[in-house]
């Protein structure tokens, strides 16, 4: 049961990340549009900013549920079903909308819009259809359902005369009736769920800065097992992260609320409390403090080599918001160090919220753009340099003190090896021309091509499911594969590659195909 849960969590994490990656790009574009819309800008740039902002706000942010549905369905489906899963994803989404609306109409339960529209009625408009308002929960649940159905029943065989309706066509028939029943049932169930969600939101938002501390603390604490996605994703994109009415429209989730306020900055008098989830120094100042502490505590003769490893990881965190390559350098060396990092991470959000910084920044690029996009009276950006230095110094002294006092063998210290180029073992060899030794060694360390059942990637990690964990040579992987860390979960192995992990996965897949053809 535990193994099945870990595998399912890993697959879901990968599926949910794909749509979110496009959201991050959307956020940067909308931030630039917000600058173009500032009051002192010429009318020409204001019109351009308005034009693009409205398109993306309605076309991307406003249709996030449908995007999640299609993206998750395709991501969860087996490779041979991905196209069909995407098609079934949007079909299922539309069937739900019409079935839900029809049942509300038949039972005379369609809410009547008031002065604030449908806000507060538990219903909303999706694709111009009035339905039970589930937000992105609808897209996520339907996407998971479609992906599971396609994988489970996609191989259905029928009599030769009915063969055109076999496979995913049969799945479609099953999905139609299951979706209709789900759409009907949700009209009765979701109001209760919505009340529970609102209660959780109210509890969280009234906790003030303390609530943001626990969010940051848990966010880092859950990273090793990959479950942090289940924490920040609902906070960013569902009512669990807050509900706000801005310019006559209702927005759910911290990130969606932020983008709406960004586009209506001239009408906003105070920032919504949910922005505290987005004001995060975790990938900006904290990596600098960690890296400097590791470098400072290294033996003098090793510091130059240590710096060549640390500088790229800090740069990656600052520019791309990806901290795992740095964090996995110490995560498995000392649980105490990891817990301390989680505490400082939480404290950074606590302090940021306490002093009133209220703009979204989790990379250096966002911080720079958003500092210009929002008036300082709302975002308090002038405090960023002060808190930047304070949190970096705090992280530095915490790490330095623990490393020295507990004699933790971090990079460059006594008993720790400074990673350089990977040693190429004879297991991998160079017999397969055209494939890098790094790629050969990954496959060899995982027990060979036939032992690899599934391989996917998230932002920084290769996530591999193997058939027989006894064939996996973890020590070989640590010694012969250039990575920031190896996570051993039995049949589920994670290799922390860092930026460029997608290209690495493609190379590994190509090498696996090559190996299977050679030994066929």
């Amino acid at each position: 049961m535990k193994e099945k849960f870990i595998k399912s969590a890993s697959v879901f994490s990968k599926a949910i990340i794909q749509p979110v990656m496009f959201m991050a790009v959307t956020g940067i574009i909308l931030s630039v549009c917000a600058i173009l819309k500032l009051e002192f800008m010429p009318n020409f740039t204001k019109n351009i900013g308005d034009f693009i902002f409205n398109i993306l706000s309605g076309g991307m942010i406003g249709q996030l549920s449908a995007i999640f549905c299609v993206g998750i369905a395709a991501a969860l489906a087996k490779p041979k079903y991905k196209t069909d899963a995407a098609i079934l994803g949007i079909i299922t989404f539309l069937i739900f909308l019409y079935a839900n609306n029809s049942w509300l109409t038949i039972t005379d339960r369609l809410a009547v819009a008031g002065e604030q529209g449908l806000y507060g009625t538990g219903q909303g408009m999706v694709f111009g259809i009035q339905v039970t308002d589930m937000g992105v929960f609808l897209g996520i649940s339907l996407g998971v359902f479609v992906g599971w159905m396609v994988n489970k029943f996609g191989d259905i065989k029928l009599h030769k005369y009915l063969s055109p309706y076999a496979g995913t066509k049969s799945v479609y028939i099953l999905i139609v009736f299951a979706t209709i029943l789900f759409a009907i049932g949700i009209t009765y169930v979701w109001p209760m769920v919505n009340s529970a969600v609102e209660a959780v939101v109210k509890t969280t938002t009234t906790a003030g800065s303390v609530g943001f501390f626990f969010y940051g603390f848990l966010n880092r604490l859950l990273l090793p097992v990959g479950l942090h996605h289940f924490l920040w994703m609902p906070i960013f994109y569902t009512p669990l992260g807050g509900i706000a009415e801005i310019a006559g429209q209702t927005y759910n989730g911290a990130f969606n609320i932020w983008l709406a306020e960004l586009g209506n900055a001239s009408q906003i008098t105070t920032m919504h409390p949910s922005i505290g989830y987005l004001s995060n120094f975790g990938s900006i100042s904290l990596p600098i403090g960690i890296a400097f502490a590791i470098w400072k505590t290294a033996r003098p003769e090793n510091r130059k080599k240590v710096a060549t490893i640390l500088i790229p990881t800090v740069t990656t965190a600052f520019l791309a918001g990806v901290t795992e390559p740095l964090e996995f350098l110490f995560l498995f060396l000392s649980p105490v160090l990891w817990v301390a990092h989680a505490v400082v991470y939480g404290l950074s959000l606590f302090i940021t919220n306490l002093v009133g910084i209220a703009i979204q920044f989790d990379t250096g690029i966002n911080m720079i753009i958003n500092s210009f996009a929002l008036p300082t009276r709302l975002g308090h950006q002038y405090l960023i340099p002060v808190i930047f230095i304070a949190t970096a110094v705090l992280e530095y002294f915490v790490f330095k003190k623990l490393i020295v006092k507990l004699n933790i063998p971090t990079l460059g210290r006594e008993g720790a090896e400074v990673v350089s180029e990977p040693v190429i073992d004879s297991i991998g060899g160079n017999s397969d021309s055209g494939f890098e030794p790094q790629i050969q060694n990954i496959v060899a360390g995982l027990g060979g091509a036939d032992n690899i059942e599934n391989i996917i990637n998230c932002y920084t990690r290769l996530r591999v499911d193997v058939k027989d964990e006894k064939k996996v040579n973890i020590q070989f992987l640590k010694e012969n594969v250039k990575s920031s860390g190896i996570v051993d979960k039995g049949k589920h192995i994670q290799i922390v590659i860092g930026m460029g992990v997608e290209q690495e996965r493609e190379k590994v897949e190509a090498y696996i195909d090559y190996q299977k053809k050679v030994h066929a």
Side-chain angles (χ1 to χ4, degrees), residues 96-164:
F96 175 91
L97 297 183
Y98 281 93
N100 185 267
N101 175 268
S102 296
W103 190 253
L104 288 173
T105 303
I106 291 172
T107 56
D108 196 26
R109 288 186 293 142
L110 278 177
V112 178
E115 293 182 2
Q116 297 180 328
L118 292 172
Y119 179 72
T121 65
Q123 297 179 15
M125 301 297 292
V126 181
F127 288 176
I129 305 167
Q130 186 172 331
V131 294
T132 303
D133 187 8
M134 295 179 64
V136 296
F137 283 125
L138 173 61
I140 293 171
S141 58
L142 290 180
V144 171
F145 171 65
V146 170
W148 182 82
M149 288 288 287
V150 166
N151 290 337
K152 185 75 173 177
F153 303 107
D155 288 327
I156 289 178
K157 305 295 183 184
L158 299 175
H159 188 277
K160 64 180 181 179
Y161 295 116
L162 298 174
S163 59

Side-chain angles (χ1 to χ4, degrees), residues 33 37 70 319 347 387 391 422 442:
C33 290
K37 292 171 59 178
V70 176
L319 295 181
L347 283 174
I387 307 303
T391 50
I442 288 175

Side-chain angles (χ1 to χ4, degrees), residues 207 209 216 218 253 385 400 410 421 454:
S209 301
L218 291 174
K400 183 174 180 291
T410 48
E421 291 299 315
N454 185 43

Side-chain angles (χ1 to χ4, degrees), residues 358-379:
I359 68 168
Q360 182 261 342
F361 60 89
D362 50 15
T363 68
I365 295 174
N366 281 350
M367 183 173 66
I368 294 169
I369 294 175
N370 294 336
S371 291
F372 293 101
L374 199 75
T376 55
R377 62 182 172 80
L378 296 176

